[in-house]
Amino acid sequence: MANTLKFGNGNWATKEDSVLAYNDENNNFKPLPFDFTRASTATYVDSDGLIKTARNGEARVDYTDSTDGALLLEPARTNLLTYSENFENSDWLKSNTTFSSNIVTANSGSSFKYIGQNETTQGVQTAFFDVEYIDHQWLHILVGSGASDTGFINFDIQNKVVGYKEGGFTGNVIDYGSFIRILVNFNTTAKITILLSFIDSNAATRVPTSSSTGSFKLYRSQSEAASYATSYIPTSGSTVTRVAESCLGAGNDQVINSSEGVLYGEVKYPSNDIGSGNYSPISISGANSNLVTFRHQGGVSNRLSIFIYVNGVEKFVETTSAYDLNNYVKIAVLSRWT
């Protein structure tokens, strides 16, 4: 077996519970599987730009940020919104709007026009809606808590930009081509209601009225109890949890010898606020006391750390300066055991 095996880099082969290694010299895949686990279905964006579902134990190669594809490894998450695609269900609150074939249309007159859903979870959350512009430009996400409002954020879905926001809210717009994802991060201390409403302009108004009779298309919805969003989790009548997944690689002396080697990865970490003890490491390890690893520096914003241990003794440690969380980062570590 030649020592030119690659993990991904535009060439992928997967089967249940494993991802195969690619050989540049022979232009084929070698039986050196990377063991993969996930005991639930999960979605991903395929190379054709469509959201698809992977079966239990099937690795996800996602093309959201790269034409070469990337192995998607995510923690366990729960979509807190029931009926994530069936907006005609009564779980969705509606006021002064009509809904048909995924198209939301504002009724005539000047009033508060929205579609929304109640939640029972509180704390730091991230929510998103997948929408398509038809002829109504501005949308408004309001998070309410009982008789009070936690905050709000405006989105221009025609020009695909974030507008005015209050209440410590942050947001983003992700362009998928056929639709856009409008995403909001917030923190609440009580049970909430998330409302997606019509707004006539980029106004600093928490509970807006609108005179619009325009429409937009609404595809999917999700809310997670976390500071960043993960891949879409479909629901149909109850909250749904996608379990955590992992990928462990096998090796032999034709690929990684016993005295030296290079650990290389091109990775994108999901957030700059991963807490202490949750490092998302990538490692080569003969045992816990002998390893080369790099990981997001838990609790430290926008930094990576590299560690080398021999017989339980730390031989090398390096922490990077800040890097851009919106882009992939390439890391290479050369280690020679002595």
Side-chain angles (χ1 to χ4, degrees):
M1 185 180 298
N3 60 355
T4 58
L5 299 181
K6 288 184 177 179
F7 188 56
N9 194 32
N11 297 287
W12 297 92
T14 65
K15 60 181 182 180
E16 187 175 356
D17 299 329
S18 68
V19 186
L20 299 181
Y22 180 75
N23 188 320
D24 271 339
E25 289 186 354
N26 299 319
N27 193 33
N28 61 8
F29 290 91
K30 291 295 184 181
L32 182 64
F34 295 82
D35 294 332
F36 176 84
T37 59
R38 188 193 61 251
S40 71
T41 61
T43 66
Y44 64 100
V45 177
D46 206 354
S47 56
D48 55 11
L50 299 178
I51 294 178
K52 297 182 179 179
T53 299
R55 299 165 298 177
N56 286 26
E58 181 183 3
R60 295 180 292 165
V61 180
D62 189 270
Y63 292 83
T64 301
D65 300 313
S66 170
T67 56
D68 286 337
L71 180 66
L72 191 58
L73 298 173
E74 294 183 310
R77 286 291 180 83
T78 299
N79 187 353
L80 303 171
L81 298 178
T82 59
Y83 294 103
S84 61
E85 298 180 35
N86 182 4
F87 300 101
E88 297 186 52
N89 187 273
S90 59
D91 276 16
W92 285 97
L93 311 172
K94 305 176 186 70
S95 179
N96 301 304
T97 57
T98 58
F99 194 92
S100 178
S101 301
N102 285 66
I103 296 176
V104 185
T105 301
N107 294 342
S108 60
S110 180
S111 58
F112 189 20
K113 305 173 181 181
Y114 64 80
I115 179 171
Q117 193 169 136
N118 295 320
E119 274 192 24
T120 59
T121 303
Q122 61 192 51
V124 175
Q125 293 191 45
T126 300
F128 66 73
F129 294 90
D130 289 345
V131 302
E132 179 184 348
Y133 170 77
I134 297 179
D135 59 7
H136 180 81
Q137 181 178 2
W138 286 97
L139 294 180
H140 174 97
I141 295 179
L142 171 72
V143 175
S145 175
S148 62
D149 301 317
T150 299
F152 74 92
I153 186 168
N154 298 334
F155 293 93
D156 178 348
I157 64 171
Q158 181 179 17
N159 296 301
K160 305 174 183 178
V161 295
V162 178
Y164 187 86
K165 51 188 177 293
E166 282 187 6
F169 280 31
T170 59
N172 193 19
V173 176
I174 304 173
D175 189 354
Y176 286 90
S178 59
F179 66 92
I180 63 171
R181 177 163 294 174
I182 55 175
L183 184 147
V184 58
N185 303 97
F186 57 91
N187 191 358
T188 178
T189 58
K191 298 177 182 179
I192 61 171
T193 301
I194 297 177
L195 300 179
L196 179 63
S197 61
F198 288 78
I199 187 170
D200 290 338
S201 63
N202 187 26
T205 305
R206 290 199 169 213
V207 183
T209 60
S210 172
S211 58
S212 172
T213 56
S215 303
F216 66 94
K217 198 165 187 176
L218 179 56
Y219 291 97
R220 300 166 203 90
S221 62
Q222 183 155 304
S223 182
E224 303 170 71
S227 60
Y228 65 92
T230 59
S231 59
Y232 173 57
I233 305 169
T235 66
S236 182
S238 64
T239 62
V240 173
T241 298
R242 180 198 61 243
V243 303
E245 54 202 338
S246 65
C247 187
L248 302 176
N252 58 41
D253 59 6
Q254 292 179 292
V255 179
I256 302 172
N257 65 42
S258 61
S259 62
E260 63 183 3
V262 176
L263 174 62
Y264 170 81
E266 185 174 352
V267 298
K268 182 179 180 182
Y269 286 94
S271 174
N272 66 350
D273 59 357
I274 297 176
S276 178
N278 186 11
Y279 300 112
S280 299
I282 299 176
S283 305
I284 295 177
S285 175
N288 290 335
S289 59
N290 296 295
L291 63 88
V292 180
T293 183
F294 53 80
R295 68 193 189 191
H296 188 286
Q297 180 71 7
V300 180
S301 187
N302 294 17
R303 297 181 187 276
L304 292 170
S305 291
I306 300 168
F307 296 89
I308 298 177
Y309 284 85
V310 179
N311 295 324
V313 178
E314 183 181 277
K315 296 293 186 179
F316 177 83
V317 60
E318 181 74 20
T319 299
T320 70
S321 58
Y323 68 97
D324 187 354
L325 288 166
N326 295 313
N327 296 317
Y328 282 89
V329 59
K330 297 179 180 180
I331 309 168
V333 183
L334 170 63
S335 178
R336 179 174 292 115
W337 307 111
T338 57

